[in-house]
């Protein structure tokens, strides 16, 4: 259905993570997409600098995915996920399991990154109860961490504006972030800060490991402005969790399925968690879907403590868990991942991306540049008392110049499609550079 944006009523839709008042005065409509570009209401082709919201790595409007979804809709539009199954869900679980590091092989489907996080946290707590250790319930996140917007996620998340309006959350602690001044303008993983993982030892001393269920971190922090882990940090965190029998959860909603130049962040960094979370790239952004992947032993614990075999072992799930059309989209997206070797494409072009983004280091207002794989961010000098204003202004200037880029807090964030060629990558940063110089 074609609708003229001039005829739209802008009053009823409450937009997410948006300055709704500003948008009504300055609406920006996307009406189409193709490849690595959006099409706006004026018919302009706008370069997509963030793969949508970190989720369209294979590019937009892939016919293989559209055809798979349409075919699925014609044969099975919906099937109940509780007590019944459909083939696509089992095919996808097997396919996703085959992409995981060794040992991660049991898959629970959700509908978003936020649901995936809350599911993982519930699994972690329930696992220890099933092991006869119900006291192990405390959850530990990290400052500047982003784990979605549901109550579990904002509890372990460490971005203050996402928490402050909502009052008390789940009992949790937070490790220090790893965004250190001595690491400014690092290329890839910074040299300093691995010792910050040792804060977990302090929390163990404070609470005792008998009360701690899990630690959850992003392999690199995404929404806080692309903060790669210091060299050795994740290895140190894994070792501490092992020493104290604490589950380690990787939130790979952004890092997983190609963004790091590997199938997962766990592969890239050489650290295997006990639980891993995925969403976004799982369906190339076409249909909402997420997945929690756990170790065999975690799954087996639930099965062993489940009572009679007709009883539900894990009383959790969603109406749309493993939705047939989402599964079809994911299977098609992962076939593209394989056929076009999307992770290898990222690995091959990551150095060029790195050179381009660090080419802005001496531009006006740039206070830091960070990158890893096909993810990067600029920290911009703030107006007094208004840290978010300058990124907003630069992002709007980029939009006027034909580039969509994400702004959040004091950062501009970049996450190009894995299929983007070097000419388009260069164009992203040429446009940003021009906007910075003209600000």
């Amino acid at each position: 259905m074609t609708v003229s944006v001039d005829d739209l009523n802008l009053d009823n839709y409450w937009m997410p993570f948006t300055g709704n008042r500003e948008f009504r005065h300055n609406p920006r409509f996307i009406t189409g997409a193709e490849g690595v570009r959006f099409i706006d209401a004026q018919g302009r082709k706008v370069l997509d600098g963030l793969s949508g919201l970190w989720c369209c790595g294979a590019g937009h409007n892939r016919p293989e995915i559209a055809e798979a979804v349409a075919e699925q809709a014609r044969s099975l539009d919906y099937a109940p996920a509780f007590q019944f199954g459909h083939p696509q869900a089992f095919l996808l679980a097997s396919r996703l399991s085959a992409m995981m590091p060794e040992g991660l092989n049991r898959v629970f489907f959700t509908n978003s990154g936020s649901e995936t996080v809350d599911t993982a946290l519930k699994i972690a707590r329930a696992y220890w109860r099933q092991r006869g250790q119900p006291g192990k319930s405390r959850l530990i996140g990290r400052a500047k961490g982003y784990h979605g917007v549901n109550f579990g996620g904002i509890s372990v998340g460490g971005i203050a504006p996402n928490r402050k309006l909502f009052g008390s959350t789940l009992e949790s602690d937070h490790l220090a972030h790893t965004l250190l001044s001595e690491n400014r303008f690092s290329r890839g993983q910074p040299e300093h800060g691995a010792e910050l993982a040792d804060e977990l030892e302090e929390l163990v001393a404070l609470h005792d490991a008998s009360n701690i269920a899990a630690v959850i971190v992003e392999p690199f922090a995404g929404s806080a402005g692309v903060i790669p882990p210091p060299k050795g940090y994740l290895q140190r965190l894994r070792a501490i969790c092992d020493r104290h029998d604490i589950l380690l959860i990787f939130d790979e909603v952004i890092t997983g399925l190609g963004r790091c130049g590997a199938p997962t962040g766990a592969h890239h960094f050489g650290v295997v968690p006990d639980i891993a979370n995925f969403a976004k790239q799982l369906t190339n952004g076409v249909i909402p879907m997420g997945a929690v992947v756990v170790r065999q032993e975690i799954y087996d614990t639930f099965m062993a403590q489940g009572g009679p075999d007709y009883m539900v072992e894990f009383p959790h799930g969603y109406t749309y868990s493993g939705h047939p059309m989402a599964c079809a989209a994911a299977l098609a997206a992962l076939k593209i991942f394989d056929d076009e070797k999307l992770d290898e494409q990222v690995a091959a072009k990551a150095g060029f991306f790195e050179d381009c983004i660090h080419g802005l280091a001496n531009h006006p207002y740039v206070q830091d540049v960070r990158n890893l794989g096909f993810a990067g961010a600029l920290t911009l000098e703030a107006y007094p008392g208004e840290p978010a204003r300058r990124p907003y202004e630069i992002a709007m200037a980029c939009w006027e110049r034909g580039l969509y880029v994400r702004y959040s807090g004091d950062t501009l964030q970049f996450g190009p499609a894995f299929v983007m060629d070097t000419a388009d990558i260069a164009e992203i940063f040429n446009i940003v550079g021009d906007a910075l110089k003209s600000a």
Side-chain angles (χ1 to χ4, degrees):
M1 181 176 67
T2 302
V3 176
S4 170
V5 298
D6 296 331
D7 299 330
L8 289 175
N9 178 347
L10 304 186
D11 293 336
N12 299 113
Y13 178 32
W14 191 346
M15 299 174 68
F17 272 115
T18 298
N20 282 252
R21 295 160 299 168
E22 186 274 340
F23 183 88
R24 286 199 297 271
H25 293 300
N26 181 31
R28 299 168 295 279
F29 283 101
I30 295 169
T31 59
E34 193 67 38
V36 298
R37 284 172 168 78
F38 289 119
I39 301 168
D40 74 2
Q42 290 71 47
R44 296 188 310 147
K45 292 186 176 181
V46 178
L47 192 57
D48 179 0
L50 198 77
S51 308
L53 281 171
W54 304 101
C55 56
C56 304
H60 294 284
N61 280 4
R62 293 297 299 250
E64 307 96 312
I65 302 176
E67 291 162 7
V69 171
E71 181 181 351
Q72 184 62 51
R74 286 190 292 267
S75 61
L76 178 64
D77 59 343
Y78 177 81
F82 305 167
Q83 308 292 1
F84 295 86
H86 65 88
Q88 298 288 64
F90 289 87
L91 288 171
L92 179 58
S94 295
R95 178 67 196 88
L96 192 58
S97 175
M99 297 178 69
M100 294 298 106
E102 185 176 357
L104 293 175
N105 60 8
R106 290 294 183 268
V107 182
F108 194 102
F109 289 121
T110 69
N111 307 293
S112 69
S114 293
E115 287 184 1
T116 298
V117 168
D118 278 35
T119 298
L121 299 179
K122 289 177 75 173
I123 288 172
R125 278 187 160 187
Y127 166 77
W128 291 114
R129 281 186 173 271
Q130 299 293 59
R131 288 275 304 269
Q133 297 173 267
K136 287 177 75 69
S137 62
R138 182 172 289 271
L139 303 166
I140 298 174
R142 185 168 59 183
K144 294 188 180 294
Y146 180 78
H147 302 292
V149 295
N150 291 345
F151 259 90
I154 65 170
S155 300
V156 293
I159 299 177
N162 295 348
R163 296 163 53 95
K164 69 179 183 180
L165 287 181
F166 308 113
S168 298
T169 58
L170 296 178
E171 187 176 56
S172 58
D173 282 288
H174 294 78
L175 302 169
H177 64 76
T178 61
L179 185 61
L180 305 177
S181 60
E182 55 266 42
N183 288 331
R184 290 170 64 241
F185 301 100
S186 292
R187 289 173 174 252
Q189 287 187 259
E191 296 291 337
H192 306 289
E195 70 281 357
L196 291 170
D198 295 344
E199 287 195 2
L200 181 55
E201 290 282 13
E202 298 174 15
L203 291 175
V204 170
L206 176 65
H207 299 295
D208 195 77
S210 64
N211 294 307
I212 300 174
V215 175
I216 180 170
V217 296
E218 302 155 276
F220 70 72
S223 295
V226 185
I227 307 171
K231 293 177 181 177
Y233 174 89
L234 294 175
Q235 288 80 358
R236 211 152 163 168
L237 203 59
R238 173 74 272 182
I240 297 170
C241 287
D242 288 343
R243 187 154 55 245
H244 296 290
D245 211 14
I246 297 169
L247 296 177
L248 178 61
I249 304 171
F250 274 3
D251 188 346
E252 295 235 28
V253 169
I254 287 177
T255 60
L257 306 178
R259 182 66 54 187
C260 294
T264 68
H267 285 97
H268 177 81
F269 295 110
V271 177
V272 181
D274 302 294
I275 301 173
N277 299 338
F278 299 91
K280 293 189 184 290
Q281 188 57 43
L282 181 56
T283 66
N284 202 51
V286 173
I287 293 179
M289 191 177 208
V292 182
V293 189
V294 306
R295 284 193 290 106
Q296 176 79 42
E297 188 269 336
I298 293 174
Y299 174 85
D300 287 347
T301 296
F302 283 89
M303 298 304 108
Q305 299 299 321
D309 62 5
Y310 60 85
M311 293 297 293
V312 173
E313 299 94 1
F314 180 46
H316 176 76
Y318 303 95
T319 300
Y320 302 112
S321 291
H323 192 285
M325 287 193 286
C327 289
L331 285 164
L334 294 181
K335 186 175 188 305
I336 293 171
F337 182 96
D338 285 343
D339 291 347
E340 300 184 11
K341 297 179 170 56
L342 294 184
D343 54 340
E344 294 179 21
Q345 287 196 48
V346 171
K349 292 177 284 192
F352 183 84
F353 174 85
E354 178 177 273
D355 288 341
C356 287
I357 192 170
H358 280 272
L360 299 177
N362 294 319
H363 279 58
Y365 311 116
V366 175
Q367 294 190 319
D368 192 13
V369 181
R370 299 175 297 280
N371 71 283
L372 194 145
F374 256 21
L378 307 178
T379 298
L380 300 183
E381 179 184 343
Y383 287 99
E386 295 184 88
R389 178 179 162 191
R390 198 180 308 277
Y392 155 73
E393 292 177 345
I394 299 300
M396 293 303 101
C398 289
W399 177 260
E400 293 302 318
R401 289 165 168 80
L403 170 67
Y404 157 70
V405 61
R406 173 145 174 78
Y407 61 97
S408 180
D410 60 356
T411 67
L412 293 178
Q413 300 172 15
F414 307 90
F418 309 154
V419 296
M420 186 176 285
D421 62 30
T422 54
D424 283 334
I425 293 170
E427 184 180 351
I428 289 175
F429 295 106
N430 288 336
I431 292 172
V432 175
D434 181 58
L436 287 166
K437 290 176 180 177
S438 301

